[in-house]
Amino acid sequence: MQRTYFDHNATTRLDPSVLNVMLPFLADNYGNPSSIHWFGRDARRALDTARRHTADLIGAEPEEIVFTSGGTESDNQAILGIACLLRDRGDRIITTAIEHQAVLNSCLHLQQMGFRITFLPVDSEGRIDPSDLEHALDKDVILVSIMHANNETGTVQPLREAASIARARGVLFHTDAVQAAGRIPIDVNKLGVDLLSLSGHKIHGPKGSGALFVRRGIQPPVLIHGGHHEHGRRAGTENVPAIAGLGEACRLAKERLPETARVTGMLRERLEKGILGQINPALVNGSLESRLPNTLNVSFPGLDGQFLAINLDLMGIAVSTGSACHAESREPSYVLKAMGRSDEEASCCIRFSLGHENTVDEVDRVVAALNQVIKDLRAV
Ligand code: PLP
């Protein structure tokens, strides 16, 4: 059966060039980067190269990068770390209602420990209003955490504006850029963010790899205790193959970004036109102007999104109904609900997320298959 993968916001294929960079460190180059001998120095060089490439993707300095086990850990390190660092200064954190669970549950954990969390609302397109942030800020706020782009809808937040509001009040700003990386340009200095989370497996790198950008001068306390790894910021012998792979994935993501954006944007337009032209009713969720080029989230009123996804899977087409971390839940999407959709509207959606390897033929196949599945279901 022909297989089509339209679920790149869940994860991506390891790039062959990333695999090539990783392989020696899974075989003969097994040194510990902390060792002073040749084997160790070779591994250390791989970490240095990866740190340079990772920093380069987001306009940061290599010393500002801490390698982690992925986006989830980066979000936890950022939010819990700043809460520990600044707990004497204040007890409030501002985030949004549509964050990934890595951010939401980190905040809820802090709430149980006595912190006060404000969840900013979003409009019907999934965007925050920066003036809501302005009004929510007071002297007790120690951190603002707003995602760059949403994993379910692809909606991109007015991040620069939000970060400058926080900065004007002297409040640190974290962003989860896991979905934005490699899809839209990111520059931590132009955005004015203090902490930023990345994940390797969303950009054709290995699973279990990630990074946290921490602006120079900010020193959150260590959350994982042990040796002096990562310049004393995260203990544990570094996962050299994964970090080397992450670095190569970041290098490729930066090099390919204009082409990836062009190709996925063109395919997404075709997919959107095809669906809206052939299937009625169908409703696009998220901002039409401010969104990732690769993501399309559509509600099909009257149908169950999960049921549609399963039927497409039987035809060899991989899509999802929303977040991969939420896939086993039958609850309507909390992201769409925060955008004002009813339970029913938030349960009938499909997320298509494209990658640079997808083709026009695949888009046409998906539109035809979806049309057929929906016709069959409606006939029943
Ligand atoms: N943040 C966002 C926006 C995500 O989409 C994801 C993964 O789906 C994560 C964080 C978690 O990243 P990881 O899977 O690397 O832990």
Side-chain angles (χ1 to χ4, degrees), residues 138-202:
D138 67 17
K139 64 173 184 27
D140 295 328
V141 177
I142 51 171
L143 177 70
V144 176
S145 179
I146 297 178
M147 72 196 322
H148 199 170
N150 185 264
N151 40 305
E152 292 191 29
T153 61
T155 294
V156 177
Q157 295 298 333
L159 209 58
R160 197 194 292 215
E161 222 178 322
S164 88
I165 290 170
R167 187 166 269 195
R169 303 282 201 96
V171 176
L172 294 181
F173 195 98
H174 164 250
T175 188
D176 175 337
V178 163
Q179 294 292 348
R183 293 173 183 154
I184 53 176
I186 299 178
D187 183 315
V188 288
N189 294 314
K190 286 190 186 145
L191 288 172
V193 299
D194 300 299
L195 301 111
L196 179 145
S197 302
L198 293 173
S199 168
H201 74 103
K202 310 286 185 182

Side-chain angles (χ1 to χ4, degrees), residues 24-191:
F25 299 99
L26 290 163
D28 294 341
N29 304 19
Y30 51 83
N32 183 327
S34 299
S35 302
I36 56 167
H37 48 63
W38 183 90
F39 285 89
R41 289 202 308 277
D42 196 38
R44 170 65 50 195
R45 265 194 298 277
L47 296 192
D48 291 346
T49 304
R51 209 179 296 282
R52 250 194 350 266
H53 290 323
T54 306
D56 217 32
L57 176 64
I58 56 171
E61 296 298 323
E63 307 75 55
E64 295 174 311
I65 299 297
V66 182
F67 292 121
T68 66
S69 64
T72 299
E73 184 190 324
S74 299
D75 287 341
N76 274 261
Q77 293 258 8
I79 294 165
L80 305 183
I82 296 302
C84 287
L85 180 71
L86 300 179
R87 67 192 318 164
D88 293 339
R89 215 188 281 174
D91 66 347
R92 279 192 65 210
I93 293 173
I94 299 178
T95 186
T96 79
I98 57 157
E99 298 295 314
H100 187 269
Q101 286 175 324
V103 167
L104 286 182
N105 287 338
S106 295
C107 288
L108 290 176
H109 174 67
L110 288 173
Q111 196 171 42
Q112 282 172 354
M113 293 172 67
F115 283 85
R116 290 178 294 151
I117 314 292
T118 299
F119 297 95
L120 295 179
V122 292
D123 63 17
S124 59
E125 296 189 342
R127 299 222 330 151
I128 60 147
D129 180 344
S131 70
D132 287 340
L133 173 61
E134 181 102 56
H135 294 130
L137 282 167
D138 67 17
K139 64 173 184 27
D140 295 328
V141 177
I142 51 171
L143 177 70
V144 176
S145 179
I146 297 178
M147 72 196 322
H148 199 170
N150 185 264
N151 40 305
E152 292 191 29
T153 61
T155 294
V156 177
Q157 295 298 333
L159 209 58
R160 197 194 292 215
E161 222 178 322
S164 88
I165 290 170
R167 187 166 269 195
R169 303 282 201 96
V171 176
L172 294 181
F173 195 98
H174 164 250
T175 188
D176 175 337
V178 163
Q179 294 292 348
R183 293 173 183 154
I184 53 176
I186 299 178
D187 183 315
V188 288
N189 294 314
K190 286 190 186 145
L191 288 172

Side-chain angles (χ1 to χ4, degrees), residues 75-372:
D75 287 341
N76 274 261
Q77 293 258 8
I79 294 165
L80 305 183
I82 296 302
C84 287
L85 180 71
L86 300 179
R87 67 192 318 164
D88 293 339
R89 215 188 281 174
D91 66 347
R92 279 192 65 210
I93 293 173
I94 299 178
T95 186
T96 79
I98 57 157
E99 298 295 314
H100 187 269
Q101 286 175 324
V103 167
L104 286 182
N105 287 338
S106 295
C107 288
L108 290 176
H109 174 67
L110 288 173
Q111 196 171 42
Q112 282 172 354
M113 293 172 67
F115 283 85
R116 290 178 294 151
I117 314 292
T118 299
F119 297 95
L120 295 179
V122 292
D123 63 17
S124 59
E125 296 189 342
R127 299 222 330 151
I128 60 147
D129 180 344
S131 70
D132 287 340
L133 173 61
E134 181 102 56
H135 294 130
L137 282 167
D138 67 17
K139 64 173 184 27
D140 295 328
V141 177
I142 51 171
L143 177 70
V144 176
S145 179
I146 297 178
M147 72 196 322
H148 199 170
N150 185 264
N151 40 305
E152 292 191 29
T153 61
T155 294
V156 177
Q157 295 298 333
L159 209 58
R160 197 194 292 215
E161 222 178 322
S164 88
I165 290 170
R167 187 166 269 195
R169 303 282 201 96
V171 176
L172 294 181
F173 195 98
H174 164 250
T175 188
D176 175 337
V178 163
Q179 294 292 348
R183 293 173 183 154
I184 53 176
I186 299 178
D187 183 315
V188 288
N189 294 314
K190 286 190 186 145
L191 288 172
V193 299
D194 300 299
L195 301 111
L196 179 145
S197 302
L198 293 173
S199 168
H201 74 103
K202 310 286 185 182
I203 54 169
H204 302 275
K207 292 169 184 59
S209 70
L212 178 65
F213 156 76
V214 184
R215 188 171 288 286
R216 190 184 310 214
I218 302 171
Q219 272 187 317
V222 178
L223 296 183
I224 298 182
H225 300 272
H228 192 75
H229 308 90
E230 289 297 284
H231 305 287
R233 293 175 294 186
R234 180 192 187 262
T237 301
E238 295 87 348
N239 184 347
V240 181
I243 293 173
L246 170 69
E248 177 64 2
C250 287
R251 189 189 72 73
L252 288 172
K254 179 157 188 201
E255 185 181 281
R256 287 180 182 153
L257 196 142
E259 187 57 9
T260 301
R262 189 190 68 75
V263 170
T264 56
M266 178 270 290
L267 295 175
R268 199 263 316 272
E269 290 306 305
R270 189 178 178 98
L271 181 64
E272 186 172 320
K273 273 204 187 104
I275 292 174
L276 298 182
Q278 296 189 33
I279 302 166
N280 190 16
L283 181 85
V284 176
N285 296 307
S287 169
L288 296 186
E289 280 90 44
S290 189
R291 60 173 163 170
L292 295 177
N294 79 319
T295 307
L296 176 66
N297 186 311
V298 188
S299 285
F300 299 98
L303 299 169
D304 177 33
Q306 197 122 344
F307 201 60
L308 278 180
I310 291 167
N311 275 276
L312 289 174
D313 181 40
L314 293 174
M315 300 167 88
I317 294 167
V319 296
S320 83
T321 54
S323 165
C325 307
H326 213 231
E328 280 159 26
S329 158
R330 298 280 301 173
E331 291 288 302
S333 154
Y334 64 84
V335 172
L336 297 189
K337 288 199 68 179
M339 290 161 58
R341 302 278 189 266
S342 65
D343 275 4
E344 211 251 290
E345 287 166 337
S347 307
C348 61
C349 60
I350 294 285
R351 176 187 71 185
F352 306 89
S353 48
L354 308 172
H356 66 272
E357 294 170 322
N358 288 133
T359 63
V360 165
D361 283 351
E362 286 181 307
V363 167
D364 294 346
R365 177 169 118 77
V366 169
V367 173
L370 188 65
N371 198 15
Q372 190 57 52

